[in-house]
Amino acid sequence: MAIKLKNEEFDAIIKRLRGDSLFYAPVKLSGKGRFSDTDLVKYREITSIGEIVFDKKSFLSLKEIILPATQKLFEISEGKLKDLSKTDSKRIIIFARSCDIHAVHRLDEIFLKNGNTIDPYYQAIRNRIKFIFLECPTQFESCFCVSMGTNKPVGYAAALRVEKDHITLDFVDESFKTELGITDNCAGFAPIYPVSDINPVSPPLNSKMPETMFSHQLFDAYDTRCIACGRCNTSCPTCSCFSTMDVTEPDKKDSGERRRIWDGCHLDGFTEMAGGHSFRKKHGSRMRFKTFHKIYDFRMRFGKDMCVGCGRCDDVCPELISFADCINSVTKALEKEERI
Ligand code: SF4
Ligand code: SF4
């Protein structure tokens, strides 16, 4: 069952719940684009349904909410440690596309199910999140979610359908309806999601990658093409690497804080060790590492590919490098290797 509401009725629900809930959605940030006269679509807190941008892909995904670009982990003041893993208890409701919800499930594997260690900072935010699925009636240009099997939404509390001056919420999670304090008043609907890609991609679904693929010449081209800017890493909803930084003030003894900050395998310094040794100096080696992590290593450990086919890495690359093309090249090269 579902509920049909006028836009202003839903806005009233947001207003009523704002004391203990945060609503996030993709919104337009005027003048914040690459040039001063261009706009940017990013996830931000909303106070009304009218703020949501439905017809454009967000530049960054909702990863910004669950794994902030800079996150303070703890602080020490005059020798006393304050753990910042549980600083807020507000419920977080996020309007999200299917690929981005799937991407959070990938992050769950990394931060909650990777070995025996649970990341308390990630968990503290994740436990408070519920998703409202944003339908995708048409794919955006660079998307390939169908190829990656992330087109069909899973793990959401309700689906949203927007029509002129009203919305319909179809509930999957009955407790969420109670949390919002609303009751059914109409029939539900089957959410719309893409069933074919505009530009399909063929990930290699092999169970064992031959050794020869890890030194394949196809990655050599990226030594010069890729400038190691890391935009593909920061825009990726499943890239989860970070560096830690301790911040101290010389005149405040026994005080300081630890932060974690997004990092990425394409960036200089990512694999640098004491003595200046670096595992992947060449940009092509970094591309190879990322590619196999996204479409092979992760699957070997967690049973699904890490890449969800959102296409953001292709959207942001200043060198017009297409990760989708790179995946197809790997599959072609692999087929050739297996024939030899
Ligand atoms: S690798 Fe590219 S297409 Fe895949 S999830 Fe990351 S940003 Fe999206
Ligand atoms: S965005 Fe493009 S140029 Fe920048 S690191 Fe990624 S692949 Fe290389």
Side-chain angles (χ1 to χ4, degrees), residues 103 142 144 148 232-233 235-239 290 294 306-314 323-324 327:
S142 58
F144 52 97
M148 301 314 294
C232 53
N233 291 138
S235 65
C236 178
T238 65
C239 273
K290 181 187 77 181
K294 296 287 181 197
M306 191 180 207
C307 173
V308 293
C310 72
R312 286 189 178 90
C313 50
D314 289 15
F323 187 58
I327 296 176

Side-chain angles (χ1 to χ4, degrees), residues 222 225-233 235 266-267 283 287 290 313 316-322:
Y222 299 105
R225 278 192 74 194
C226 171
I227 57 170
C229 65
R231 282 172 72 95
C232 53
N233 291 138
S235 65
H266 273 281
L267 293 166
H283 297 177
M287 188 69 174
K290 181 187 77 181
C313 50
V316 302
C317 179
E319 299 300 302
L320 307 181
I321 290 170
S322 163

Side-chain angles (χ1 to χ4, degrees), residues 197-257:
D197 286 333
I198 300 167
N199 296 303
V201 170
S202 308
L205 296 172
N206 58 321
S207 55
K208 181 98 181 83
M209 193 66 77
E211 278 295 314
T212 47
M213 286 301 295
F214 292 95
S215 53
H216 199 282
Q217 62 182 26
L218 81 88
F219 295 104
D220 295 349
Y222 299 105
D223 284 343
T224 46
R225 278 192 74 194
C226 171
I227 57 170
C229 65
R231 282 172 72 95
C232 53
N233 291 138
T234 48
S235 65
C236 178
T238 65
C239 273
S240 49
C241 291
F242 56 83
S243 291
T244 50
M245 176 192 266
D246 288 342
V247 182
T248 54
E249 287 179 48
D251 55 346
K252 277 195 184 169
K253 233 182 143 205
D254 301 330
S255 298
E257 62 188 46

Side-chain angles (χ1 to χ4, degrees), residues 35-51:
F35 304 104
S36 56
D37 59 348
T38 56
D39 305 327
L40 191 65
V41 177
K42 280 180 95 179
Y43 269 84
R44 289 290 180 269
E45 199 188 338
I46 58 160
T47 54
S48 70
I49 198 90
E51 292 169 60

